Amino acid sequence: MATIPVDDLEITRQFGPHLSASTRAGTSTEPDRLVKTHCCFCGQQCGIQLKVRGNEVIGFEPWEEFPFNRGMLCPKGVKRYLQGSHPDRLLTAVRRDPSQPAGFRPMPYDEAIAFAAGEIRRLQEAHGNAAIGVLGGASLTTEKTYLLGKFARVCLKTPYIDYNGRLCMVSAGAANKKAFGIDRTTNPWSDMVGTEVIWIAGSNVAECSPITTNYVWQAREQGAKIIVQDPRITPIARTCDLFLPVRPGRDAALFAGVLHLMIENGWIDREFIAAHTVGFEQVAEYCRAFTPARTAEVTGVPERSIRKAAELWGTARSSFLLHARGIEHHSNGVQNALGTINLVLASGRIGRPKSGYGTIVGQANGQGGREHGQKCDQLPGWRDISNPEHRRHIASVWGVDERDIPGPGVDAYEMFRKIDAGEIKGLISICFNPKISLPDNEFVARALDKLEFYVAIDFFLNDTARHADLVLPGSLQEEDEGTVTQVEGRVIKINKAVDCPGEARRDWVILQDLARALGRPHGFTFSSPREVFDELRVASKGGVADYSGITYEKIERQMGVFWPCYAEDPETGRPTPDHPGTPRLFERGSYNPVARGAGPFYFPDGKARFNVAEYRTPVDDVSEEFPLFLTTGRVVSQFLSGAQTRRIGPLVRQYPEPRIEIHPRLADKLGIADGDWATCETRRGAITLRAMVVTTIRPDTIFIPYHWAGPKSANRLTVAAQDPISKIPQYKVCACRVRRAEGAPDYAARLEPQQ
Ligand SMILES: Nc1nc2c(c(=O)[nH]1)N[C@H]1C(S)=C(S)[C@@H](COP(=O)(O)OP(=O)(O)OC[C@H]3O[C@@H](n4cnc5c(=O)[nH]c(N)nc54)[C@H](O)[C@@H]3O)O[C@H]1N2
Ligand SMILES: Nc1nc2c(c(=O)[nH]1)N[C@H]1C(S)=C(S)[C@@H](COP(=O)(O)OP(=O)(O)OC[C@H]3O[C@@H](n4cnc5c(=O)[nH]c(N)nc54)[C@H](O)[C@@H]3O)O[C@H]1N2
Ligand code: SF4
Ligand SMILES: [Mo]
């Protein structure tokens, strides 16, 4: 029997630890073995050792030797082991059945696969192959994401596949490709220690990238100056040297204003700009209008702070620029990211030790998951699905006719618009919880109910899966092996600790079982993740994200391999079994297969591109009716849609409920005291939460973390505006108004007492 979980709003009441009866009854919690692997949550991918007893993960031990985190872990990594034996874990497939109290009943696995295949075939025969859409996720291993992309194109022959990284890394990815021709952080984080200046734009690193924070602290101990740009004084900002309290959605203007001053004061590296870049003059021309006075007016950052930023950044000899979703989750997200890159290129401080640029990866496999073909316009190796040469290469690896590979699809949100319009009638989702995580999510819920058939693959019945006709029981990270690529670009190996319980199956096995049941098993007969990886190596060869020289053994030997890693020297064509990988990109004199010796950047002329990074006001900006900025993001103890972390008792207790962060001046004006119920309303909807009065936020801005469902979901409020290039949603700003609530919301009756 599957345990069919209670409704998603209530899961926070199920406190851990959830160890099985046998383990609880045991006299000792000594493990049988330790398995070296990595955390299942964020893109830092800390090394960890899982303690395993029988077929159960019962705890963890630090893995001191792993070079990135050296045994350090954050609260989430420490508690991740509590998921495996959680009572909500899906142990069988479950099929919708309104007659049951939970709305679902268990279904034997083989029957469930046959049912799903029958529905997919029915819809494709009636409406064409494109009637089925596929949604993937960047918490999956690279092997799974590769297989999923192939499954959509070869088995289902649908163009409609996209993934949850669309909500995360795509603005940075698009900007990196435009500026450098390659999309990867440029340096290992150890390069940060000893640098002179670190600029952190739009990232709450202390809560979201705790290990990166440790590198920042080490750098600071050695004298680095820290600049933080955020509408909130986040924990890292409390000790920084310069804080830039930017008004939400105004980052591109700030970058332009800083570059303006750098140019005016001669704080730029003219030699580097001339030798290694193109496009500087147009950018300089654009920045001319961003005088300090105008920049201050647009951004809300005092003029003296803008001058100080330009001086600190402009006169440094070594530096790091880091950014995350705070500047990327915007309808201007690509422009914002290009604005940071312009500051880096103008300084000339890239491609050498102690100087680098990086966009901080979010999801576990945020990097690998965006390289090998689960994006709507992409084929493995960062290849372009519209490029005939790229298509021919992949068709030859897959053993199909190039004409049979569908063209580009659409982004994940657009897929929901197509579902709403009745064009996409069937959906397969894996590792994605769009009902919580997409903006304006009441629309998403309505669209889900229009699907004729929806099958989700997950180990928990998440909020979106509640709309499914069928949920197939997938695997937890520790139940499978495979690779992921972490924040620095280091490909690492996840090792299997336990077998899937009950009728749960490894995700890639489920995909292959579906292919077989559909009568289209060609290309889906792998017997292990290693076999999938070996095909991926061939498929990625010659692409920008070239993994051909990486093997499981090399990863183990080197504790990770930075891509690109070539099986054949791109310069000589000779086999290079010992290619160590590429920890630092763009070093002078380095060779890459695109520039072929012309220069360090991944364009035929070897030069990086300056791009005019245009400032535009956000969509749904403040007005008289909605006078405040709403911004959304994270807290340290919760992860993404909360499907996993809201089930882990100790993490829930750390921050049980979402709250509205509000400045005391604003709170006073609105008659709201700390702990009061307050209603936040936007043009999409309203939610009522407790207020948390803090002095660490701009008085014109409120902040709500988004990890909760239903009436506590911040995405009931957010706007579905998207960046025109990357299609990332504008989560970080929309207009709202706040009032003291009349009374407690309905759900409050079901809450734990306030602590
Ligand atoms: N604890 C925890 N850690 C996580 C995650 C998690 O859910 N929980 N998720 C992981 C994932 S997938 C991701 S993408 C990363 C995200 O990591 P971050 O991007 O660091 O986190 P966010 O909270 O989304 O937003 C970062 C900051 O942007 C600020 N901000 C809001 N609007 C603006 C703006 O207009 N301009 C600027 N400059 N800043 C703005 C917010 O105040 C916030 O402090 O974290 C990863 N790590
Ligand atoms: N308002 C607002 N909204 C946001 C953001 C924001 O800052 N503000 N941030 C956005 C960002 S950056 C992100 S990354 C998205 C994330 O949004 P989602 O991707 O929707 O969130 P997750 O919680 O990762 O959902 C993943 C689901 O996959 C399951 N899962 C995890 N690992 C595996 C696996 O290995 N196999 C299988 N089969 N299932 C697995 C989990 O149980 C969970 O149900 O949210 C976005 N939404
Ligand atoms: S920093 Fe990220 S990878 Fe490391 S333990 Fe925390 S959630 Fe896991
Ligand atoms: Mo993310």
Side-chain angles (χ1 to χ4, degrees), residues 39 41-42 44-46 73-74 76-77 210-211:
C39 175
F41 292 126
C42 88
Q44 318 285 289
Q45 284 302 289
C46 297
L73 295 162
C74 85
K76 294 181 297 304
I211 307 304

Side-chain angles (χ1 to χ4, degrees), residues 470-650:
L470 181 69
V471 186
L472 295 169
S475 46
L476 276 168
Q477 188 237 31
E478 56 262 38
E479 292 162 3
D480 201 357
E481 66 170 354
T483 58
V484 301
T485 306
Q486 53 77 276
V487 63
E488 304 164 295
R490 197 196 298 251
V491 180
I492 51 173
K493 175 100 192 304
I494 305 301
N495 288 314
K496 181 165 174 266
V498 289
D499 291 323
C500 292
E503 293 217 315
R505 296 283 187 278
R506 286 169 293 172
D507 296 320
W508 60 272
V509 170
I510 296 177
L511 292 178
Q512 297 204 140
D513 287 346
L514 281 173
R516 196 170 319 115
L518 282 161
R520 306 166 199 164
H522 171 75
F524 299 96
T525 52
F526 297 103
S527 60
S528 64
R530 178 188 285 269
E531 279 185 13
V532 179
F533 190 74
D534 283 340
E535 184 177 292
L536 179 154
R537 292 173 59 204
V538 181
S540 74
K541 189 169 163 191
V544 169
D546 191 325
Y547 279 35
S548 62
I550 304 178
T551 60
Y552 280 10
E553 287 71 26
K554 198 187 271 189
I555 295 175
E556 197 133 324
R557 218 170 35 244
Q558 297 183 194
M559 291 214 205
V561 181
F562 287 82
W563 72 265
C565 178
Y566 304 107
E568 281 160 21
D569 189 316
E571 204 169 347
T572 63
R574 286 202 202 99
T576 58
D578 299 326
H579 191 281
T582 317
R584 197 177 293 119
L585 294 175
F586 315 140
E587 293 195 273
R588 306 301 176 267
S590 63
Y591 187 93
N592 75 60
V594 183
R596 297 176 186 282
F601 297 97
Y602 284 60
F603 290 108
D605 60 6
K607 293 183 178 184
R609 267 64 182 153
F610 276 96
N611 290 272
V612 170
E614 204 188 326
Y615 164 69
R616 293 189 296 264
T617 47
V619 178
D620 190 22
D621 208 7
V622 287
S623 63
E624 223 166 278
E625 214 187 335
F626 294 97
L628 299 171
F629 296 109
L630 164 67
T631 191
T632 62
R634 304 164 156 73
V635 295
V636 67
S637 50
Q638 285 295 315
F639 192 66
L640 306 181
S641 70
Q644 294 169 266
T645 43
R646 276 185 288 120
R647 289 185 159 86
I648 300 178

Side-chain angles (χ1 to χ4, degrees), residues 164 167-169 325 329 361-363 634 640 706:
N164 60 11
L167 322 180
C168 186
M169 299 300 302
R325 308 306 86 78
H329 276 161
V361 170
Q363 295 150 294
R634 304 164 156 73
L640 306 181
Y706 87 101

